[in-house]
Amino acid sequence: MHKENLVLIGNGMAGVRTLEELLKLAPDHYNITVFGEEPYGNYNRIMLSPVLASEKTIEQIMLNGEQWYIDNGITLHKGKKVEQINRARREVIATDGTVAHYDRLIIATGSVPFMLPLPGADKTGVIGFRDIKDVDTMLDTASRYQHAVVIGGGLLGLEAANGLMKQGMNVTVVHLLDTLMERQLDKPAAAMLQKSLAERGMTFLMEHSTAEILGEERVTAVRFKNGTEIPADLVVMAVGIKPNTELGKSAGLYCERGIVVSDTMQTITDPKIYAIGECVQHRGIAYGLVAPLFEQAKVAANHLAKHGIARYVGTVTSTKLKVTGIELFSAGDFTGNDQTEDIVFKDAASGTYKKIVLQDNQVKGAVLYGDTVDGSWYFQLMKDGTDVSAFRDTLLFGQHHLGDSGHNPDTRVASLPDNAEICGCNGVCKGDIVKAITEKKLFTLDEVRAHTKASASCGSCTGLVESLLAHTVGGDYSATPKTKPLCKCTDYTHDDIRHGIIQHSLKTMPAVREHFEWKTPDGCPSCRNALNYYLLCAYPTEYVDDAQSRYINERAHGNIQKDGSYSVVPRMFGGMCTSDQLRAIADVADKYQVPTMKVTGGQRIDMFGIKKEQLPAMWKDLSAAGFVSGHAYGKAMRTVKTCVGSEWCRFGTQDSTGLGVKLEELTWGSWMPHKFKLAVSGCPRNCAEATIKDIGVVCVDSGYELHIGGNGGIKVRVTDLLCKVATEEEVLEYTGAFCQFYREDAHYLERTAPWIERVGLEKVKTAILSDAANRKALYERFLISQQPAQIDPWKARADGAEAAEFTPIMIEA
Amino acid sequence: MSKWIEVVELNKIPVLGSRLIKTRDTDIAVFRGSDDQVYAIRDACPHKGGPLSQGIMHGSTVTCPLHNWKIDLASGNALAPDHGCSNVFAVKVEGGKVFLQLP
């Protein structure tokens, strides 16, 4: 596919986040070039205050080092300032003459500190607080001089002042008004903040207006309009920022306060040019905080990836002060008006102040000082427009006071911050879940899964999500019913359907759906796969497998990877191999230019990055060398892991490798409710880790211990001991019987570990141990199912089966 | 209006399955429903670009093989609760042959 050229001007947080989002959506769409004025990779600008305060280093705040640009094929021109955009030729030109052609252009030039046009403002030692260079200047000055003056008592000014004080300077904060951070704080909170900073040694000159900066070449003092003067070796201007529109203006883009953009982040003058971040004006607003920039980045990336479905509609913002030891949070309209009501708590002695502004029982704004743990909760309530009348009387006491706090473990999850990650697989935070529950009025785990993806992947966070659900909706929470229908297409359970299939001789999927009055004509990806398996298990010699009811991994007999390529794992029985086999695998890897090979946890060789079209030819070569499919992709028996055993090991009691090979020859190819693994250890040292496998055999002097139901997955489970037997023949018989019992009894997608916990070990022991006739019947049925199952799918496809599956249609248009 | 291009015989597409069509600009998945209705959609899930042609079809919906997003094949829209959309292409069957119209 032809790649377009995308050029980004500005290597800051907004621009690079856009690239990150874009690479997730459309990694191969563009040749990307980045121009950055600063001589670094991309760093977290909002963490400059902690760097100044020596709480973090520059290295710790780097977001993407230069390797990231290399890894993603991005050309980075660092330390190069773009001075011209030629829209007619679609080129950007840097001061050093570098030219880059663009099909699409992103301007993310950020903002510049607003410098007061005072007499003497050009002297050495007068700076803004914007980038690493400014921080370096401040640190350098602090090491040699005493007196710092920070003009501006806003968020940035106080962070700079705090940092300089930590570097040992005498710091005076000059502010035009009588309250600090007037855009974020009301008077009582501002007064408490000022008192606390003064106690740390900061000096304040409130209601002072600067007249002139004095000195020869370097600043020596600051004079105010009231005639007073104070000494100064460093003056930091932190009176605000202004969008950096210089380049946009010179390119003829329409600018007001910032470069004006539409809801898709395209400039309204030229749709080929996007603008994003602090240089932008969107619906009249120019943002100076990070959350809106990230939202904008997402939208711009979506548009650049040509999905074209996202719109930016503005952001409600909140503020925190990054001064260690001072807790401060504000959001929304915290001053209020005659339509609003205030709920206020103030305890000067403990240094705590909370004010919530309500209108019609909805939070409109909040200021918290001293205790900010509930800030994000209030912010959430505000953004959601939640009606708080039900808990208005305890609102100020925070989220802990909702529900039955202190009496059950649910409070643990309740006290987590909103940004605590609950579901690691899908990156879902507590806040996302709470929001989904309250906003969309969710009541069951399945609903939460559907809306947030939390616990939808590995499921290890299910308990947390359930607690969160119980806590958030309180008494209305309905626990997940114990008997769940198979899926949304039916009211019947897995067990109902499995029994029905046998009892009523239902032998095709349409017959099952008709009998159980399915609600959908074709079923869904859940029940299609389950029914296909249940029918295959019930009628192994009769049932015709339905390829379209299998996950792509089983349909393509390879594991689909994140980029749509596949992996190939040849079977190596019991982990054994010969030099010829290794050579054959190496030859195949060379021939098909396999980019990555690795030894798997199941002691086999995995070849990654294979295009689907290549699979049949590769399989043909592997078949010719004597390999069959390792089923490393299937809900099927996968591997038998072995240790060396008595042949070589000085501790080995039995031939564990040989037994492993026999077990694998017995079980390979069998379809299972879920993936299934075996292991054989030659002695109780258990080098094959047999006690975390679905079936583990541990050889001892007197015979073989059979262990079942182990799992090394997300939730590790050690096996239960099934029994001890004396001969290899018994191992094979008991193993086959156990496999068959599991195949016939478990629900589809239920591994042996949760299955045994659900049905109980006794039931399994009864079926296999107490009733020898039943065991033999199970083993017999297993052997019968294996006859049609042990057909190598790779060979069949290499010989032409399902050819269309692997052959794309090429058209010239 | 661009012309119709014959791409494949209908019976070469498995029922409730798809064929992958590669064009110079983009990959397109052509699906065949159990009622022989055909659909053509860009072979990329709006979520993370998963190959929809490799997904499982049910009704007029396909489930992406990577992260289980469900995409309506007629409109290209992701089904709630997900949001997103992939391009769909005009497609028709005449005389047992499937024709695509590319923009």
Side-chain angles (χ1 to χ4, degrees), chain A residues 132-149:
Chain A
I132 289 180
K133 184 168 63 53
D134 295 328
V135 171
D136 286 342
T137 306
M138 287 192 236
L139 292 174
D140 175 57
T141 313
S143 68
R144 295 188 285 137
Y145 295 96
Q146 267 301 305
H147 301 287
V149 173

Side-chain angles (χ1 to χ4, degrees), chain A residues 1 450 522 528 612 809 811, chain B residues 20 22 25 34 54 57 59 81:
Chain A
M1 194 158 50
D522 312 328
R528 289 255 301 280
K612 194 177 179 190
I809 298 161
I811 59 173
Chain B
L20 174 62
K22 282 180 174 289
D25 294 326
S34 48
Q54 312 299 301
M57 185 189 186

Side-chain angles (χ1 to χ4, degrees), chain A residues 17-23 25-26 30 264-265 274 276 296-308:
Chain A
R17 175 59 76 98
T18 309
L19 297 185
E20 288 174 344
E21 298 280 356
L22 176 62
L23 290 170
L25 293 171
Y30 296 98
T264 52
M265 306 313 296
Y274 297 69
I276 180 154
Q296 292 175 353
K298 234 183 171 121
V299 172
N302 182 287
H303 205 267
L304 284 164
K306 303 186 179 170
H307 292 322

Side-chain angles (χ1 to χ4, degrees), chain A residues 743-763:
Chain A
R743 297 180 74 221
E744 291 178 2
D745 193 79
H747 298 165
Y748 188 65
L749 295 188
E750 186 175 43
R751 290 201 64 180
T752 54
W755 167 65
I756 285 177
E757 290 186 356
R758 177 169 65 83
V759 302
L761 183 62
E762 270 320 297
K763 179 172 170 178

Side-chain angles (χ1 to χ4, degrees), chain A residues 563-584:
Chain A
D563 62 352
S565 70
Y566 290 81
S567 65
V568 167
V569 184
R571 191 170 287 288
M572 292 164 80
F573 287 84
M576 294 291 285
C577 63
T578 65
S579 54
D580 278 341
Q581 286 176 321
L582 289 177
R583 239 185 313 273

Side-chain angles (χ1 to χ4, degrees), chain A residues 1-2 24-25 29 302 305-307 309 426 440 449-453 456 513 521-525 528-529 546 548-552 555-556 560-564 566 612-613 803-805 807-813, chain B residues 5-8 12 14-26 34 42 44-49 51 53-60 63 65-70 77 81-87 100 102:
Chain A
M1 194 158 50
H2 168 69
K24 275 193 253 169
L25 293 171
H29 229 97
N302 182 287
K306 303 186 179 170
H307 292 322
I309 43 123
N426 294 290
K440 302 206 164 78
R449 272 188 188 149
H451 283 84
T452 65
K453 304 258 180 237
R513 287 198 289 259
D522 312 328
C524 70
R528 289 255 301 280
N529 293 309
D546 177 22
Q548 304 309 324
S549 295
R550 287 186 177 275
Y551 294 117
I552 183 60
R555 194 147 32 92
I560 193 169
Q561 304 294 339
K562 59 189 278 188
D563 62 352
Y566 290 81
K612 194 177 179 190
E613 305 92 277
E805 174 76 47
T807 317
I809 298 161
M810 316 292 286
I811 59 173
E812 271 309 301
Chain B
I5 301 162
E6 181 189 331
V7 289
V8 65
K12 295 277 171 66
V15 174
L16 288 175
S18 77
R19 291 298 300 271
L20 174 62
I21 315 277
K22 282 180 174 289
T23 74
R24 206 171 50 209
D25 294 326
T26 186
S34 48
R42 191 164 82 104
C45 178
H47 176 220
K48 291 194 172 174
S53 58
Q54 312 299 301
I56 291 181
M57 185 189 186
H58 42 107
S60 59
T63 296
L66 292 194
H67 304 99
N68 289 328
W69 276 40
K70 293 180 176 53
N77 289 323
D82 297 320
H83 297 285
C85 157
S86 199
N87 317 26
L100 258 185
L102 297 175

